[in-house]
Amino acid sequence: MDSCNPVNLPVNPNTKLFKAQDGDDLAEVSRYQQIIGSLVYLVISTRPDLAYTISALSQFSSKPSTQHMDILKQVLRYLKGTRNLTLTCKKLYDMILSGYSD
């Protein structure tokens, strides 16, 4: 994936995900689960833009098809193309930023 071409969207909006059927080609389950786990960590820590996509793909972790793996690879290509995007907060006035948590 080091030399892959980046894409602008993590998944095509018209893509429909279905459970793998008996005749479908299956992806390697452990590899799929490892990638999903890494992406869940990214979603929690720094990439909330991938939350819906990763949530949808993680539903197929027990029996992923090659279609699911292809979409997962597209997400990785999206990450490569957007790794320089950042959230910034400009200081316009004398404001104090505070946060609360349970």
XYZ file of all heavy atoms in Angstrom:
802
model
N 0.814 -1.195 0.000
C 0.000 0.000 0.000
C 0.860 1.263 0.000
O 0.318 2.343 -0.074
C -0.928 0.014 1.211
C -1.970 -1.086 1.289
S -3.227 -1.155 0.023
C -4.047 0.389 0.147
N 2.182 1.121 0.071
C 3.045 2.293 0.083
C 2.985 3.080 -1.218
O 3.063 4.307 -1.205
C 4.497 1.892 0.362
C 4.690 1.434 1.790
O 3.911 1.869 2.655
O 5.613 0.643 2.030
N 2.852 2.394 -2.331
C 2.869 3.080 -3.621
C 1.477 3.160 -4.254
O 1.356 3.280 -5.462
C 3.825 2.357 -4.571
O 3.384 1.027 -4.765
N 0.429 3.120 -3.452
C -0.925 3.171 -3.995
C -1.315 4.609 -4.342
O -0.727 5.566 -3.850
C -1.923 2.586 -3.005
S -2.108 3.543 -1.501
N -2.316 4.735 -5.193
C -2.830 6.049 -5.567
C -3.881 6.487 -4.562
O -4.811 5.733 -4.269
C -3.453 5.993 -6.962
C -2.436 5.690 -8.030
O -1.290 6.109 -7.932
N -2.840 4.948 -9.036
N -3.778 7.717 -4.029
C -4.773 8.188 -3.064
C -6.120 8.452 -3.736
O -6.192 8.695 -4.937
C -4.164 9.476 -2.515
C -3.028 9.816 -3.380
C -2.688 8.648 -4.213
N -7.186 8.397 -2.957
C -8.542 8.687 -3.432
C -9.148 9.790 -2.566
O -8.658 10.093 -1.482
C -9.441 7.432 -3.408
C -8.960 6.402 -4.389
C -9.532 6.841 -2.029
N -10.234 10.406 -3.065
C -10.848 11.532 -2.365
C -11.931 11.128 -1.372
O -12.277 11.908 -0.501
C -11.456 12.501 -3.378
C -10.398 13.160 -4.225
O -9.284 13.378 -3.774
N -10.742 13.474 -5.460
N -12.498 9.932 -1.517
C -13.553 9.469 -0.623
C -13.174 8.112 -0.032
O -12.618 7.271 -0.732
C -14.870 9.316 -1.382
C -15.515 10.584 -1.913
C -16.703 10.248 -2.797
C -15.962 11.460 -0.761
N -13.514 7.875 1.234
C -13.182 6.573 1.820
C -13.979 5.436 1.199
O -13.510 4.307 1.124
C -13.510 6.739 3.295
C -14.409 7.899 3.380
C -14.117 8.774 2.202
N -15.194 5.712 0.753
C -16.025 4.694 0.105
C -16.970 5.404 -0.862
O -17.397 6.531 -0.614
C -16.796 3.855 1.154
C -17.847 4.655 1.857
C -17.385 2.617 0.547
N -17.269 4.753 -1.957
C -18.205 5.291 -2.928
C -19.582 5.391 -2.277
O -20.057 4.419 -1.692
C -18.237 4.374 -4.150
C -19.097 4.908 -5.265
O -19.925 5.796 -5.069
N -18.900 4.371 -6.446
N -20.256 6.543 -2.363
C -21.568 6.688 -1.705
C -22.628 5.707 -2.205
O -23.591 5.436 -1.501
C -21.985 8.119 -2.032
C -20.746 8.813 -2.466
C -19.807 7.775 -2.988
N -22.469 5.171 -3.398
C -23.459 4.241 -3.949
C -23.167 2.783 -3.612
O -23.877 1.901 -4.061
C -23.536 4.407 -5.466
C -23.985 5.799 -5.843
O -24.830 6.381 -5.177
N -23.410 6.346 -6.893
N -22.131 2.522 -2.834
C -21.745 1.155 -2.495
C -22.699 0.570 -1.465
O -22.984 1.186 -0.443
C -20.311 1.128 -1.943
O -19.436 1.654 -2.916
C -19.889 -0.280 -1.590
N -23.184 -0.617 -1.751
C -24.041 -1.355 -0.821
C -23.241 -2.534 -0.281
O -22.624 -3.274 -1.033
C -25.292 -1.873 -1.524
C -26.124 -0.812 -2.193
C -26.890 -0.023 -1.191
C -27.830 0.924 -1.944
N -28.188 2.064 -1.180
N -23.244 -2.687 1.020
C -22.532 -3.793 1.654
C -23.510 -4.902 2.023
O -24.563 -4.648 2.605
C -21.806 -3.304 2.908
C -20.693 -2.290 2.686
C -20.178 -1.776 4.014
C -19.578 -2.914 1.896
N -23.147 -6.129 1.668
C -23.980 -7.287 1.962
C -23.136 -8.358 2.637
O -21.922 -8.407 2.465
C -24.587 -7.859 0.675
C -25.475 -6.897 -0.049
C -25.029 -6.242 -1.182
C -26.758 -6.655 0.403
C -25.849 -5.345 -1.849
C -27.589 -5.760 -0.262
C -27.126 -5.110 -1.395
N -23.804 -9.247 3.378
C -23.114 -10.387 3.976
C -22.556 -11.274 2.879
O -23.136 -11.388 1.802
C -24.084 -11.204 4.832
C -24.432 -10.577 6.149
C -25.458 -11.388 6.888
C -24.843 -12.616 7.474
N -25.768 -13.350 8.364
N -21.445 -11.920 3.173
C -20.850 -12.851 2.217
C -21.747 -14.078 2.082
O -22.213 -14.638 3.071
C -19.459 -13.255 2.678
N -21.972 -14.475 0.855
C -22.784 -15.660 0.566
C -21.876 -16.882 0.483
O -20.658 -16.777 0.500
C -23.556 -15.469 -0.735
C -24.484 -14.259 -0.738
C -25.559 -14.341 0.337
O -26.121 -15.400 0.584
N -25.826 -13.220 0.988
N -22.451 -18.039 0.352
C -21.683 -19.283 0.326
C -20.714 -19.363 -0.837
O -19.617 -19.867 -0.702
C -22.627 -20.485 0.297
C -23.351 -20.666 1.615
O -22.812 -20.210 2.646
O -24.442 -21.251 1.607
N -21.061 -18.831 -2.006
C -20.194 -18.932 -3.176
C -19.193 -17.794 -3.312
O -18.353 -17.809 -4.213
N -19.240 -16.805 -2.436
C -18.352 -15.637 -2.539
C -16.926 -15.983 -2.124
O -16.708 -16.847 -1.272
C -18.859 -14.488 -1.670
C -20.157 -13.900 -2.176
O -20.529 -14.193 -3.327
O -20.801 -13.151 -1.411
N -15.991 -15.258 -2.721
C -14.594 -15.384 -2.291
C -14.438 -14.667 -0.955
O -14.909 -13.539 -0.789
C -13.653 -14.752 -3.320
C -13.642 -15.515 -4.629
O -13.895 -16.733 -4.600
O -13.371 -14.893 -5.669
N -13.772 -15.333 -0.021
C -13.595 -14.753 1.312
C -12.199 -14.193 1.470
O -11.232 -14.720 0.931
C -13.866 -15.808 2.387
C -15.276 -16.381 2.420
C -15.387 -17.416 3.517
C -16.306 -15.290 2.600
N -12.106 -13.111 2.227
C -10.818 -12.501 2.532
C -10.230 -13.181 3.767
O -10.920 -13.900 4.494
C -10.992 -11.008 2.788
N -8.957 -12.929 4.016
C -8.295 -13.479 5.197
C -8.855 -12.774 6.436
O -8.687 -11.560 6.597
C -6.793 -13.272 5.085
C -6.016 -13.914 6.196
C -4.530 -13.645 6.084
O -4.065 -13.267 5.004
O -3.848 -13.804 7.108
N -9.506 -13.519 7.296
C -10.240 -12.956 8.427
C -9.320 -12.225 9.394
O -9.608 -11.093 9.801
C -11.038 -14.059 9.170
C -11.718 -13.500 10.400
C -12.057 -14.684 8.245
N -8.205 -12.829 9.774
C -7.338 -12.205 10.778
C -6.738 -10.902 10.263
O -6.629 -9.928 11.008
C -6.242 -13.169 11.220
O -5.404 -13.489 10.137
N -6.364 -10.858 9.007
C -5.798 -9.626 8.435
C -6.855 -8.528 8.394
O -6.586 -7.377 8.713
C -5.254 -9.910 7.027
C -4.595 -8.737 6.400
C -3.266 -8.470 7.093
N -2.632 -7.345 6.462
C -1.925 -6.441 7.117
N -1.728 -6.561 8.407
N -1.392 -5.438 6.497
N -8.065 -8.899 7.991
C -9.179 -7.947 7.952
C -9.441 -7.374 9.342
O -9.588 -6.168 9.515
C -10.419 -8.650 7.412
C -11.608 -7.750 7.177
C -11.749 -7.060 5.981
C -12.605 -7.600 8.140
C -12.856 -6.243 5.757
C -13.693 -6.792 7.928
C -13.820 -6.112 6.736
O -14.907 -5.297 6.525
N -9.465 -8.238 10.349
C -9.727 -7.799 11.711
C -8.602 -6.909 12.246
O -8.854 -5.959 12.990
C -9.930 -9.004 12.619
C -11.209 -9.751 12.333
C -11.329 -11.052 13.100
O -10.363 -11.559 13.664
N -12.532 -11.605 13.122
N -7.364 -7.192 11.872
C -6.242 -6.351 12.299
C -6.362 -4.950 11.727
O -6.143 -3.958 12.435
C -4.917 -6.967 11.861
C -4.524 -8.207 12.608
C -3.294 -8.882 12.009
O -2.765 -8.465 10.990
N -2.848 -9.945 12.655
N -6.708 -4.860 10.456
C -6.839 -3.543 9.825
C -8.016 -2.785 10.421
O -7.899 -1.584 10.726
C -6.987 -3.689 8.294
C -5.722 -4.298 7.694
C -7.270 -2.340 7.646
C -5.847 -4.694 6.237
N -9.134 -3.466 10.632
C -10.298 -2.818 11.255
C -9.945 -2.309 12.648
O -10.286 -1.183 13.020
C -11.498 -3.788 11.319
C -12.097 -4.001 9.927
C -12.575 -3.301 12.281
C -12.847 -2.814 9.365
N -9.238 -3.108 13.432
C -8.839 -2.688 14.773
C -7.960 -1.452 14.759
O -8.131 -0.534 15.565
N -7.031 -1.392 13.830
C -6.167 -0.213 13.711
C -6.969 1.016 13.307
O -6.740 2.116 13.818
C -5.072 -0.476 12.680
O -4.243 -1.532 13.083
N -7.919 0.828 12.408
C -8.726 1.957 11.967
C -9.694 2.421 13.051
O -9.982 3.615 13.153
C -9.472 1.601 10.687
C -8.584 1.432 9.456
C -9.400 0.972 8.261
C -7.839 2.712 9.130
N -10.182 1.500 13.884
C -11.026 1.902 15.020
C -10.225 2.787 15.966
O -10.726 3.796 16.479
C -11.602 0.661 15.754
C -12.190 1.033 17.099
C -12.637 -0.016 14.886
N -8.971 2.444 16.192
C -8.109 3.273 17.034
C -7.959 4.668 16.428
O -8.024 5.671 17.134
C -6.740 2.612 17.204
C -5.765 3.457 17.969
C -5.865 3.560 19.348
C -4.769 4.163 17.319
C -4.991 4.352 20.067
C -3.887 4.958 18.026
C -4.001 5.048 19.402
O -3.133 5.837 20.090
N -7.779 4.750 15.107
C -7.676 6.055 14.445
C -8.964 6.854 14.591
O -8.922 8.064 14.817
C -7.357 5.878 12.960
C -5.921 5.649 12.580
C -5.802 5.484 11.072
C -5.047 6.787 13.041
N -10.097 6.194 14.435
C -11.386 6.884 14.550
C -11.547 7.479 15.939
O -11.977 8.618 16.098
C -12.557 5.922 14.224
C -13.888 6.499 14.649
C -12.572 5.596 12.745
N -11.176 6.711 16.946
C -11.330 7.179 18.325
C -10.377 8.331 18.626
O -10.748 9.301 19.285
C -11.100 6.019 19.310
C -12.246 5.017 19.200
C -10.973 6.521 20.746
C -12.012 3.733 19.944
N -9.164 8.257 18.125
C -8.165 9.252 18.514
C -8.091 10.464 17.596
O -8.063 11.593 18.080
C -6.793 8.595 18.636
O -6.431 8.007 17.393
N -8.061 10.268 16.274
C -7.778 11.423 15.418
C -8.607 11.547 14.151
O -8.561 12.587 13.508
C -6.302 11.399 14.969
O -6.052 10.206 14.231
C -5.363 11.501 16.141
N -9.341 10.529 13.741
C -10.017 10.571 12.446
C -11.512 10.278 12.566
O -11.989 9.248 12.113
C -9.386 9.576 11.476
C -7.953 9.821 11.105
C -7.741 11.173 10.423
N -8.475 11.313 9.196
C -7.940 11.274 7.987
N -6.654 11.114 7.838
N -8.704 11.419 6.932
N -12.301 11.194 13.145
C -13.736 10.943 13.265
C -14.461 10.931 11.916
O -15.588 10.462 11.828
C -14.226 12.095 14.145
C -13.211 13.160 13.979
C -11.905 12.457 13.751
N -13.818 11.406 10.861
C -14.443 11.394 9.536
C -14.638 9.979 8.997
O -15.429 9.757 8.091
C -13.631 12.222 8.546
C -12.191 11.767 8.406
O -11.606 11.314 9.404
O -11.633 11.899 7.294
N -13.954 9.011 9.583
C -14.068 7.622 9.136
C -15.017 6.783 9.992
O -15.147 5.585 9.771
C -12.689 6.968 9.146
C -11.681 7.520 8.156
C -10.325 6.891 8.380
C -12.151 7.297 6.750
N -15.677 7.405 10.951
C -16.481 6.643 11.917
C -17.566 5.812 11.239
O -17.724 4.625 11.549
C -17.104 7.584 12.946
N -18.337 6.390 10.342
C -19.423 5.641 9.711
C -18.878 4.501 8.856
O -19.380 3.374 8.923
C -20.292 6.567 8.852
C -21.356 5.799 8.111
C -22.485 5.344 8.773
C -21.204 5.485 6.770
C -23.454 4.607 8.112
C -22.156 4.746 6.098
C -23.287 4.317 6.766
O -24.227 3.580 6.112
N -17.876 4.777 8.072
C -17.320 3.771 7.169
C -16.758 2.583 7.944
O -17.033 1.424 7.619
C -16.226 4.385 6.286
O -16.766 5.508 5.601
C -15.691 3.395 5.295
N -15.978 2.852 8.973
C -15.371 1.777 9.750
C -16.427 1.018 10.546
O -16.356 -0.201 10.687
C -14.263 2.331 10.677
C -13.195 3.030 9.839
C -13.653 1.233 11.516
C -12.630 2.185 8.715
N -17.439 1.714 11.029
C -18.524 1.047 11.735
C -19.245 0.076 10.794
O -19.570 -1.054 11.184
C -19.506 2.078 12.274
O -20.647 1.465 12.799
N -19.496 0.504 9.569
C -20.176 -0.362 8.602
C -19.306 -1.559 8.231
O -19.795 -2.690 8.144
C -20.541 0.439 7.358
N -18.016 -1.340 8.018
C -17.123 -2.436 7.635
C -16.864 -3.412 8.786
O -16.641 -4.598 8.562
C -15.805 -1.889 7.110
C -15.860 -1.249 5.728
C -14.535 -0.565 5.400
C -16.195 -2.273 4.670
N -16.892 -2.916 10.020
C -16.606 -3.794 11.152
C -17.724 -4.810 11.391
O -17.511 -5.819 12.063
C -16.358 -2.974 12.415
O -17.542 -2.311 12.807
N -18.896 -4.588 10.831
C -19.994 -5.530 10.987
C -19.734 -6.849 10.260
O -20.401 -7.840 10.523
C -21.292 -4.914 10.466
C -21.736 -3.718 11.259
C -22.961 -3.058 10.662
O -23.627 -3.613 9.798
N -23.254 -1.860 11.122
N -18.763 -6.845 9.346
C -18.472 -8.035 8.555
C -17.159 -8.689 8.972
O -16.562 -9.438 8.210
C -18.434 -7.668 7.069
C -19.693 -6.990 6.602
C -19.743 -5.623 6.472
C -20.825 -7.728 6.337
C -20.902 -4.993 6.055
C -21.995 -7.120 5.915
C -22.038 -5.742 5.781
N -16.702 -8.435 10.187
C -15.406 -8.938 10.651
C -15.348 -10.453 10.799
O -14.284 -11.041 10.692
C -15.038 -8.305 11.997
O -14.757 -6.945 11.818
N -16.465 -11.092 11.044
C -16.427 -12.539 11.234
C -16.330 -13.313 9.923
O -15.790 -14.416 9.899
C -17.652 -13.005 12.008
O -18.822 -12.726 11.266
N -16.829 -12.740 8.836
C -16.786 -13.427 7.544
C -16.693 -12.389 6.421
O -17.653 -12.155 5.688
C -18.045 -14.286 7.374
C -17.992 -15.238 6.211
C -19.237 -16.111 6.196
C -19.220 -17.034 4.994
N -20.460 -17.807 4.913
N -15.522 -11.740 6.261
C -15.392 -10.705 5.235
C -15.185 -11.313 3.848
O -14.477 -12.295 3.684
C -14.152 -9.929 5.680
C -13.338 -10.934 6.411
C -14.314 -11.851 7.080
N -15.818 -10.697 2.877
C -15.620 -11.127 1.493
C -14.510 -10.272 0.873
O -14.022 -9.317 1.481
C -16.916 -10.973 0.692
O -17.220 -9.601 0.517
N -14.144 -10.607 -0.333
C -13.115 -9.804 -1.015
C -13.645 -8.413 -1.325
O -12.866 -7.469 -1.394
C -12.656 -10.498 -2.303
O -13.784 -10.799 -3.117
C -11.888 -11.770 -2.000
N -14.963 -8.246 -1.478
C -15.538 -6.911 -1.673
C -15.283 -6.043 -0.448
O -14.907 -4.885 -0.563
C -17.044 -6.992 -1.937
C -17.677 -5.607 -2.080
C -19.151 -5.557 -1.727
O -19.678 -6.476 -1.084
N -19.811 -4.501 -2.118
N -15.458 -6.611 0.739
C -15.214 -5.863 1.969
C -13.731 -5.477 2.078
O -13.398 -4.368 2.485
C -15.640 -6.683 3.190
C -17.083 -7.052 3.172
N -17.510 -8.352 3.326
C -18.207 -6.321 2.987
C -18.832 -8.395 3.260
N -19.274 -7.172 3.051
N -12.853 -6.400 1.712
C -11.418 -6.111 1.762
C -11.046 -5.029 0.751
O -10.213 -4.168 1.047
C -10.606 -7.377 1.518
C -9.114 -7.181 1.677
S -8.639 -6.592 3.317
C -8.112 -8.093 4.051
N -11.669 -5.028 -0.426
C -11.400 -3.998 -1.420
C -11.823 -2.624 -0.909
O -11.119 -1.634 -1.111
C -12.118 -4.315 -2.735
C -11.537 -5.523 -3.447
O -10.391 -5.904 -3.131
O -12.233 -6.079 -4.318
N -12.958 -2.552 -0.241
C -13.411 -1.278 0.324
C -12.480 -0.844 1.449
O -12.153 0.338 1.582
C -14.868 -1.387 0.807
C -15.781 -1.623 -0.390
C -15.292 -0.141 1.565
C -17.197 -1.978 -0.032
N -12.016 -1.793 2.233
C -11.067 -1.483 3.302
C -9.758 -0.934 2.722
O -9.185 0.012 3.264
C -10.811 -2.734 4.127
C -10.175 -2.559 5.489
C -10.982 -1.617 6.364
C -10.036 -3.897 6.168
N -9.312 -1.489 1.617
C -8.115 -0.975 0.949
C -8.350 0.430 0.413
O -7.450 1.273 0.439
C -7.692 -1.901 -0.182
C -7.097 -3.201 0.307
C -6.724 -4.102 -0.849
C -6.188 -5.438 -0.359
N -5.877 -6.350 -1.471
N -9.581 0.712 -0.048
C -9.890 2.064 -0.497
C -9.824 3.047 0.665
O -9.382 4.179 0.506
C -11.263 2.114 -1.158
C -11.595 3.491 -1.697
C -12.878 3.525 -2.493
O -13.411 2.496 -2.877
N -13.366 4.716 -2.748
N -10.255 2.626 1.847
C -10.148 3.481 3.035
C -8.681 3.790 3.324
O -8.323 4.928 3.648
C -10.831 2.820 4.251
C -10.542 3.586 5.527
C -12.329 2.706 4.031
N -7.820 2.795 3.189
C -6.389 3.024 3.401
C -5.816 3.981 2.361
O -4.969 4.821 2.677
C -5.634 1.697 3.389
C -5.983 0.721 4.517
C -5.251 -0.600 4.319
C -5.671 1.317 5.868
N -6.299 3.880 1.132
C -5.860 4.814 0.093
C -6.354 6.226 0.398
O -5.663 7.209 0.160
C -6.371 4.351 -1.267
C -5.675 3.076 -1.735
C -6.248 2.479 -2.991
N -6.389 3.453 -4.058
C -7.307 3.367 -5.007
N -8.149 2.363 -5.023
N -7.366 4.279 -5.949
N -7.558 6.350 0.967
C -8.092 7.641 1.389
C -7.213 8.235 2.497
O -6.906 9.431 2.487
C -9.529 7.474 1.875
C -10.107 8.696 2.541
C -10.505 9.791 1.793
C -10.252 8.753 3.915
C -11.037 10.913 2.406
C -10.784 9.862 4.537
C -11.181 10.945 3.777
O -11.694 12.048 4.395
N -6.814 7.398 3.439
C -5.946 7.874 4.523
C -4.619 8.388 3.980
O -4.087 9.383 4.465
C -5.695 6.748 5.530
C -6.817 6.468 6.502
C -6.510 5.231 7.315
C -7.051 7.662 7.399
N -4.082 7.701 2.973
C -2.824 8.149 2.399
C -2.975 9.524 1.758
O -2.109 10.382 1.884
C -2.322 7.149 1.360
C -1.010 7.577 0.756
C -0.463 6.601 -0.220
C 0.874 7.141 -0.720
N 1.492 6.245 -1.660
N -4.096 9.762 1.097
C -4.306 11.040 0.423
C -4.679 12.175 1.350
O -4.566 13.347 0.978
N -5.125 11.867 2.565
C -5.577 12.921 3.484
C -4.757 12.983 4.758
O -5.208 13.546 5.753
C -7.065 12.701 3.854
O -7.208 11.421 4.464
C -7.946 12.806 2.640
N -3.567 12.424 4.746
C -2.781 12.401 5.985
C -2.282 13.782 6.420
O -1.921 13.984 7.564
C -1.619 11.443 5.858
C -0.604 11.841 4.835
C 0.521 10.859 4.758
N 1.222 11.052 3.503
C 1.952 10.156 2.928
N 2.113 8.995 3.502
N 2.543 10.405 1.797
N -2.302 14.758 5.521
C -1.844 16.102 5.866
C -2.983 17.023 6.277
O -2.744 18.190 6.579
C -1.077 16.723 4.698
C 0.205 15.967 4.414
O 0.849 15.462 5.321
N 0.568 15.881 3.154
N -4.212 16.542 6.289
C -5.332 17.363 6.728
C -5.297 17.516 8.240
O -5.009 16.577 8.968
C -6.661 16.726 6.320
C -6.964 16.668 4.827
C -8.326 16.032 4.605
C -6.934 18.048 4.205
N -5.599 18.713 8.692
C -5.596 18.985 10.135
C -6.795 19.840 10.512
O -7.381 20.523 9.668
C -4.324 19.736 10.561
O -4.251 20.980 9.853
C -3.084 18.925 10.271
N -7.156 19.799 11.775
C -8.147 20.705 12.329
C -7.406 21.843 13.007
O -6.486 21.609 13.787
C -9.025 19.985 13.357
C -9.933 18.892 12.830
C -10.612 18.181 13.999
C -10.967 19.469 11.909
N -7.793 23.047 12.697
C -7.143 24.202 13.318
C -8.188 25.092 13.966
O -9.339 25.139 13.538
C -6.348 25.026 12.286
O -7.238 25.451 11.253
C -5.228 24.213 11.676
N -7.774 25.783 14.980
C -8.631 26.732 15.668
C -7.865 28.044 15.765
O -6.847 28.134 16.450
C -8.989 26.202 17.053
S -10.093 27.288 17.950
N -8.336 29.053 15.025
C -7.659 30.346 15.042
C -8.127 31.166 16.237
O -9.295 31.154 16.612
C -7.953 31.114 13.755
C -7.385 30.465 12.530
C -7.680 31.293 11.314
C -7.124 30.617 10.077
N -7.387 31.396 8.871
N -7.195 31.879 16.802
C -7.526 32.735 17.939
C -7.996 34.081 17.400
O -7.216 34.866 16.869
C -6.313 32.912 18.840
C -6.592 33.736 20.059
C -5.381 33.843 20.943
C -5.687 34.724 22.122
N -4.543 34.876 22.999
N -9.287 34.335 17.504
C -9.849 35.593 17.028
C -10.012 36.599 18.162
O -9.821 37.780 17.984
C -11.193 35.347 16.350
C -11.168 34.421 15.134
C -12.579 34.182 14.626
C -10.313 35.021 14.040
N -10.369 36.110 19.307
C -10.595 36.962 20.470
C -9.922 36.307 21.665
O -9.432 35.201 21.592
C -12.102 37.124 20.749
C -12.868 37.655 19.567
C -13.625 36.808 18.770
C -12.839 39.005 19.243
C -14.334 37.282 17.673
C -13.537 39.489 18.156
C -14.282 38.627 17.383
O -14.964 39.113 16.301
N -9.922 36.997 22.764
C -9.391 36.419 23.997
C -10.431 35.467 24.573
O -11.302 35.849 25.346
C -9.048 37.511 25.017
C -7.849 38.327 24.584
O -7.018 37.795 23.849
O -7.764 39.519 24.975
N -10.349 34.228 24.144
C -11.295 33.218 24.607
C -10.521 32.130 25.346
O -9.350 31.911 25.102
C -12.045 32.584 23.444
C -12.937 33.550 22.712
S -14.017 32.798 21.475
C -12.915 31.845 20.489
N -11.215 31.495 26.250
C -10.642 30.370 26.966
C -11.358 29.112 26.490
O -12.586 29.027 26.574
C -10.784 30.544 28.488
C -10.038 31.784 28.945
C -10.299 29.296 29.203
C -10.274 32.132 30.381
N -10.602 28.167 26.007
C -11.166 26.900 25.572
C -11.141 25.934 26.741
O -10.105 25.707 27.343
C -10.347 26.340 24.407
C -10.805 25.011 23.829
C -12.186 25.169 23.219
C -9.802 24.537 22.782
N -12.301 25.412 27.098
C -12.356 24.459 28.199
C -13.229 23.282 27.779
O -14.117 23.414 26.951
C -12.909 25.109 29.464
O -14.212 25.606 29.217
N -12.940 22.135 28.358
C -13.697 20.932 28.037
C -14.014 20.165 29.294
O -13.311 20.270 30.302
N -15.088 19.410 29.257
C -15.522 18.628 30.399
C -15.785 17.198 29.946
O -16.188 16.963 28.821
C -16.798 19.226 31.015
C -16.604 20.644 31.494
C -16.910 21.714 30.677
C -16.086 20.901 32.754
C -16.732 23.015 31.102
C -15.903 22.189 33.199
C -16.212 23.249 32.361
O -16.028 24.528 32.795
N -15.562 16.293 30.841
C -15.787 14.893 30.511
C -16.373 14.172 31.707
O -16.168 14.571 32.850
C -14.441 14.255 30.108
O -14.598 12.897 29.872
N -17.077 13.131 31.447
C -17.649 12.302 32.501
C -16.639 11.293 32.971
O -15.949 10.673 32.264
C -18.872 11.570 31.975
C -20.086 11.785 32.822
O -19.963 12.432 33.871
O -21.152 11.316 32.406
